[in-house]
Amino acid sequence: MRPVHTVPAATLPGLAGADTTAAVPMPPPPGEPLPAQEEDAAPASPGATASVDSASPPAQEPLASEQTSAAAEDDEDDEDEAGGEEGDEGEASEAAANPGVPGLLYTADLSDEELKRRWKDEPQSLGSVSVGFVESGRLVNGVRFPDGGQDWIVVSPEKTYATEETITYLSQVIRAVRAALPDAPPLRVNQISAKEGGYMRPHKSHQSGRDVDLGFYYPTAEPIRARDRENHIHLARNWALVKALLAHADVQLILVDRRVQKVLYEYALKSGEDKAWLDSLFHAGFQSLIRHARGHRDHFHVRFFSPRAQELGRRLAPLLALQPEQNIAMHRVRSGDTLGAIALRYNSTVNGLRKSNHLRGNLLRIGQVLSVPLRGPCTRCPVPPPFVVPPRRLAAVTAPENTLTAGKQEHAAPSAEEPEETPAREEPKPQSPTVVGTPTS
């Protein structure tokens, strides 16, 4: 990638004595495509840092009025249901630190030969496939979250594509809450993933069909738009939702603002929940299942395990080239990117990039998400290691419930001739389980 050429402003004619903290980009050499340009309406990008001359003086301290404005902007981050995902660091870093688990656990019914044949000839027969990590992944054969009638409201249908396991988990969780609390209003299901996954503004994750934003339960069906949501939510219903998530789904983590955590923790403790169990959920550091994330004061961000879809994604990574229309990578444009540099990075072509993204020229926008067609196996696409879904964190050992649980087998009822006490439900106990991607939020 060719760097942006800069010239200190003070060295330009007629600008002597001007503020030298800015740098003026110079055009690249002839024949090179223009680098990505930042527009006024373009979203900020972590990689879109302005070029500053090394001799420039440090920036002045902000005025009090500017500090007040910045604080107001932070408050707005908490206010918006579609706000940024600042506290979510994804899962790749933790996964890299964990050793892989040998063997196939969730797709053992498919031999390598059968998987290759079905991917090449009938890819839909494989069901949902979660490719890569939640912060750098894709979704194949995603399913849109269905309408929920009286149980839930789908806020943005075009942004609620998920793996089949995620949909099964979430549907049964919400129905369990409604069964226990019939007067609960419909739950607002916000964004999950785009139809084919990949980056979806403004989220850092939500790329592979496993992350779900859920609104809070309030006293009425209408959400209360106050900034201090923790003082307005319906505590009994929201705690019932958290418990249902733990009991009826394989949840990797729940992200929510610490102020909301505080009132839920205190309510659960006063309701008689075991303190040691609550501390393992809220106050166990990196082992906590419920974690703080800035920008999550008005909703729960739930990340589900999708064991079959995830294992399929790992196994299909070297086979994606057999389906040219699926052999793509998603690239978010950053400062200095050009079509040529992106094509070189992914072993693609400039013409292929233009055609896939309906581009007429070379101009790119910072924050723009490009579909990159690949000419062979992707050598830069992240592939998660094998993993084992850990046991669910239940408050106490309870009798099995007569509900369908995604990825779990129901226990058969004892016969009338042999009455016996129903055994407690046991979760799988893998040896040395590897939990993929517990993020350090």
Side-chain angles (χ1 to χ4, degrees):
M1 184 186 304
R2 186 181 298 276
V4 177
H5 304 277
T6 60
V7 177
T11 65
L12 297 179
L15 291 181
D19 182 8
T20 62
T21 61
V24 179
M26 299 295 289
E32 170 127 351
L34 291 174
Q37 300 295 313
E38 184 168 9
E39 299 179 358
D40 292 339
S45 170
T49 55
S51 299
V52 180
D53 186 79
S54 58
S56 301
Q60 296 180 350
E61 291 293 326
L63 299 177
S65 59
E66 294 175 340
Q67 293 175 333
T68 303
S69 175
E73 290 177 359
D74 287 343
D75 291 341
E76 289 175 2
D77 287 343
D78 292 332
E79 186 79 22
D80 192 354
E81 281 193 358
E85 301 283 285
E86 296 89 344
D88 180 13
E89 298 299 328
E91 60 182 0
S93 58
E94 284 287 329
N98 291 328
V101 178
L104 301 176
L105 300 178
Y106 310 107
T107 61
D109 57 306
L110 292 171
S111 66
D112 290 344
E113 294 76 13
E114 177 65 8
L115 178 64
K116 182 176 180 180
R117 183 195 68 79
R118 290 173 63 175
W119 174 246
K120 182 178 179 180
D121 299 335
E122 44 182 346
Q124 289 291 338
S125 69
L126 294 173
S128 300
V129 181
S130 183
V131 181
F133 295 101
V134 295
E135 75 276 18
S136 57
R138 287 182 50 232
L139 178 62
V140 178
N141 298 337
V143 180
R144 190 177 73 80
F145 199 77
D147 295 331
Q150 297 299 313
D151 295 331
W152 62 77
I153 298 172
V154 179
V155 178
S156 303
E158 73 283 358
K159 297 181 179 180
T160 55
Y161 284 85
T163 67
E164 293 164 308
E165 291 157 299
T166 297
I167 289 178
T168 301
Y169 283 144
L170 184 54
S171 300
Q172 68 187 28
V173 163
I174 300 175
R175 290 190 174 111
V177 175
R178 289 276 294 176
L181 302 172
D183 61 336
L187 184 67
R188 295 171 68 85
V189 177
N190 294 311
Q191 298 180 6
I192 305 178
S193 290
K195 187 174 182 178
E196 297 181 348
Y199 174 74
M200 183 173 68
R201 185 181 180 187
H203 308 283
K204 291 181 180 178
S205 56
H206 287 265
Q207 297 195 23
S208 57
R210 300 192 289 116
D211 293 88
V212 182
D213 283 347
L214 298 175
F216 295 140
Y217 281 113
Y218 295 92
T220 64
E222 283 299 315
I224 297 175
R225 303 293 181 180
R227 186 188 69 207
D228 56 338
R229 303 293 179 95
E230 65 276 5
N231 295 325
H232 300 277
I233 62 176
H234 194 289
L235 292 175
R237 294 169 184 166
N238 285 287
W239 179 240
L241 175 60
V242 171
K243 291 190 69 176
L245 285 166
L246 302 180
H248 296 280
D250 289 321
V251 172
Q252 185 170 334
L253 56 79
I254 301 172
L255 299 175
V256 68
D257 188 276
R258 62 171 60 93
R259 288 161 287 197
V260 179
Q261 289 187 42
K262 182 176 184 294
V263 297
L264 286 175
Y265 179 92
E266 292 173 350
Y267 171 83
L269 194 60
K270 291 179 181 178
S271 299
E273 301 287 3
D274 180 71
K275 185 177 186 300
W277 175 63
L278 290 176
D279 287 340
S280 75
L281 299 178
F282 289 90
H283 302 146
F286 292 155
Q287 300 301 317
S288 298
L289 198 66
I290 303 173
R291 305 185 185 182
H292 169 73
R294 183 185 171 205
H296 292 66
R297 198 176 181 180
D298 58 6
H299 69 282
F300 292 112
H301 175 156
V302 184
R303 179 168 301 152
F304 294 94
F305 286 109
S306 291
R308 185 174 178 86
Q310 289 176 254
E311 192 164 87
L312 280 174
R314 178 176 61 82
R315 295 181 66 188
L316 285 173
L319 303 177
L320 291 177
L322 297 177
Q323 282 288 342
E325 65 275 14
Q326 296 289 356
N327 192 31
I328 60 175
M330 308 303 291
H331 178 84
R332 185 183 180 190
V333 176
R334 299 184 182 276
S335 179
D337 277 353
T338 66
L339 287 177
I342 295 171
L344 183 62
R345 175 187 174 98
Y346 292 96
N347 188 27
S348 186
T349 65
V350 171
N351 288 335
L353 282 167
R354 289 199 189 104
K355 183 176 180 181
S356 266
N357 298 278
H358 309 288
L359 301 175
R360 295 184 177 181
N362 294 327
L363 185 63
L364 299 176
R365 185 181 70 253
I366 291 177
Q368 182 179 2
V369 179
L370 299 178
S371 172
V372 185
L374 306 175
R375 295 187 292 181
C378 182
T379 58
R380 289 183 171 269
C381 299
V383 179
F387 75 101
V388 173
V389 175
R392 296 177 184 174
R393 298 198 196 180
L394 304 179
V397 178
T398 57
E401 301 179 13
N402 187 24
T403 56
L404 171 67
T405 304
K408 308 287 180 182
Q409 293 184 351
E410 293 298 321
H411 297 279
S415 63
E417 292 79 8
E418 298 177 346
E420 60 180 359
E421 182 179 356
T422 305
R425 172 180 170 180
E426 294 184 0
E427 295 295 331
K429 297 179 179 179
Q431 296 181 351
S432 303
T434 298
V435 181
V436 171
T438 308
T440 55
S441 56

